[in-house]
């Protein structure tokens, strides 16, 4: 097996995040559940909601793309595979993620639908409420995969959010086969409970079939995967099936289990929670970067906690601090 040219190549939703601040009354008036993510099913509905937003910021987003931007900021080698449309937002996504230091070569798709977007409303307490129009991101074909790129990365990172539509689901299955044949590791982020509810059988088939090496999940996702209300029972059920299980515990820190050994870290301190967008994504960035550098579980978890604390201390899901300096503290 050749040495990897990249630390992580990820497949995920190619979405432009549009972030704006609002108050709780706005969320109530629009019928939104605070802190949740809901899908917007038409570009017209997305445009109507966008028109109601206050001044905002546009940045390439999507869970896996956020993770890769974090890895690149830490000094890692990252590449992204995801589908945008041949439109203005597609150009915004491509320019932004490349400017972050992430390789992105997937050809833009002609015609409708438009590039995906996530309208994120951030309340004064830092909670983010997301409204996602997936658009072109759900039309990623297996033909768009760069198989040599996948085989050249130490880790293939796949995003649960993208498992819904048939076309990218087939692409991710093909990518797993390529990574497996090349002897690479496969990391999976559970993404959200509603995703697990729809695809629990598929996810268990991947896990039970030995196709996943690392699982990232928060407490609720771990329990949803195992259909239990007891976190310890969920950990006991999942940990023996994968090389590494990582569970984030919000303000209680995080844990990892490997070969029966359990390691925990506290949450890194943060003066004020400004915006929780991307906290789990950046935790995964820190952990994967540490693992790609050959660090042990404790140090990799610590870097994940530091990255999550950095991202929730300011607006948006892109790091503002010197992340290489942050890595030196882990």
């Amino acid at each position: 097996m050749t040495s990897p040219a990249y630390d992580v190549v990820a497949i995920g939703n190619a979405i432009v995040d549009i972030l704006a601040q609002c108050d709780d009354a706005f969320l109530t008036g629009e019928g939104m559940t605070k802190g949740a993510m809901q899908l917007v099913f038409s570009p017209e509905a997305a445009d109507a909601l966008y028109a109601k937003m206050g001044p905002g910021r546009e940045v390439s987003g999507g869970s896996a793309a956020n993770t890769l931007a974090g890895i690149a900021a830490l000094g890692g080698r990252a590449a992204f595979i995801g589908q945008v449309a041949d439109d203005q937002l597609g150009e915004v996504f491509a320019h932004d993620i490349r400017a972050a230091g992430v390789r992105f070569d997937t050809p833009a798709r002609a015609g409708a639908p438009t590039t995906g977007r996530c309208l994120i409303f951030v309340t004064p307490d830092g909670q983010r409420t997301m409204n996602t129009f997936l658009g072109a991101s759900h039309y990623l074909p297996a033909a768009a995969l760069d198989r040599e790129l996948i085989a050249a990365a130490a880790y293939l990172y796949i995003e649960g959010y993208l498992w819904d539509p048939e076309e990218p689901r087939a692409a991710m299955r093909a990518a797993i086969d390529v990574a497996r044949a090349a002897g690479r590791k496969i990391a999976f982020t559970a993404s959200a409970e509603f995703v697990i509810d729809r695809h629990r059988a598929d996810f268990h088939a991947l896990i039970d079939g030995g196709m996943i090496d690392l699982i990232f999940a928060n407490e609720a996702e771990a329990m949803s995967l195992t259909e239990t209300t007891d976190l310890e029972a969920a950990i006991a059920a999942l940990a023996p099936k994968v090389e590494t299980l990582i569970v984030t515990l919000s303000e209680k820190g995080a844990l990892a289990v490997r070969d029966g050994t359990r390691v925990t870290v506290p949450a890194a301190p943060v003066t004020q929670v400004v915006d929780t967008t991307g906290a789990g994504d950046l935790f995964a960035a820190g952990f994967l970067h540490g693992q790609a550098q050959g660090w042990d579980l404790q140090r990799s978890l610590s870097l994940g906690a530091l990255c999550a604390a950095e991202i929730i201390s300011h607006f948006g899901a892109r790091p503002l601090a010197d992340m290489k300096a942050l890595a030196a503290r882990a």
Side-chain angles (χ1 to χ4, degrees):
M1 183 172 64
T2 58
S3 298
Y6 290 87
D7 298 321
V8 182
V9 60
I11 302 177
N13 282 317
I15 292 174
V16 175
D17 285 344
I18 304 171
L19 300 99
Q21 295 173 312
C22 75
D23 55 23
D24 287 357
F26 176 85
L27 299 181
T28 302
E30 293 298 318
M32 298 180 196
T33 300
K34 183 176 178 177
M37 195 282 279
Q38 65 180 10
L39 294 177
V40 179
F41 293 101
S42 73
E44 293 78 16
D47 287 343
L49 186 57
Y50 177 61
K52 298 177 182 179
M53 296 184 82
R57 291 177 52 205
E58 295 183 352
V59 61
S60 63
S63 176
N66 288 340
T67 295
L68 293 184
I71 289 170
L74 289 163
R77 303 162 297 171
F80 180 70
I81 298 171
Q83 189 66 67
V84 296
D86 185 12
D87 57 17
Q88 184 177 359
L89 281 182
E91 292 175 2
V92 168
F93 181 93
H95 175 271
D96 190 72
I97 197 167
R98 289 169 184 156
V102 177
R103 176 176 169 178
F104 175 60
D105 301 327
T106 310
R109 182 178 187 272
T114 58
T115 296
R117 71 197 82 162
C118 184
L119 308 180
I120 303 174
F121 296 89
V122 183
T123 43
D125 60 358
Q127 285 293 313
R128 82 282 189 268
T129 303
M130 300 183 290
N131 300 265
T132 305
F133 171 64
L134 295 164
S137 68
H138 271 198
Y139 291 85
L140 175 71
L145 297 178
D146 184 334
R147 285 163 167 77
E148 290 184 2
L149 177 63
I150 293 167
Y155 289 90
L156 170 65
Y157 184 64
I158 58 175
E159 178 186 318
Y161 281 128
L162 197 57
W163 203 260
D164 251 2
E166 182 177 348
E167 200 166 17
R169 185 164 64 244
M172 286 191 285
R173 289 189 185 278
I176 289 171
D177 290 342
V178 171
R180 270 280 171 262
R184 306 308 189 185
K185 301 287 188 185
I186 298 164
F188 167 74
T189 175
S191 293
E193 291 171 79
F194 78 88
V195 175
I196 296 167
D197 286 342
R198 289 206 285 263
H199 303 290
R200 189 178 289 107
D202 264 6
F203 294 160
H204 277 294
L206 290 174
I207 294 166
D208 294 342
M211 305 305 286
I212 305 297
D213 298 295
L214 292 83
I215 294 177
F216 289 93
N218 62 27
E219 294 174 84
E221 291 158 2
M223 291 187 288
S224 179
L225 267 172
T226 52
E227 296 184 277
T228 179
T229 57
D230 183 279
L231 179 60
E232 289 302 320
I235 294 168
L238 287 172
K241 296 182 177 182
V242 292
E243 179 186 285
T244 309
L245 172 67
I246 305 100
V247 181
T248 55
L249 308 168
S250 191
E251 73 279 359
K252 294 173 288 185
L255 65 87
V257 183
R258 176 180 293 166
D259 296 329
T261 299
R262 180 164 168 166
V263 178
T264 62
V265 297
V270 58
T271 302
Q272 180 184 4
V273 176
V274 175
D275 174 14
T276 56
T277 306
D281 304 333
L282 269 293
F283 183 94
F287 184 87
L288 286 172
H289 179 72
Q291 291 292 283
Q293 308 313 306
W295 295 1
D296 61 19
L297 288 180
Q298 185 84 34
R299 190 177 179 193
S300 296
L301 285 172
S302 295
L303 180 56
L306 286 169
C307 291
E310 193 282 335
I311 215 69
I312 66 175
S313 68
H314 59 76
F315 201 54
R318 288 290 184 270
L320 298 181
D322 182 340
M323 297 298 279
K324 293 178 183 176
L326 198 70
R329 291 168 45 196

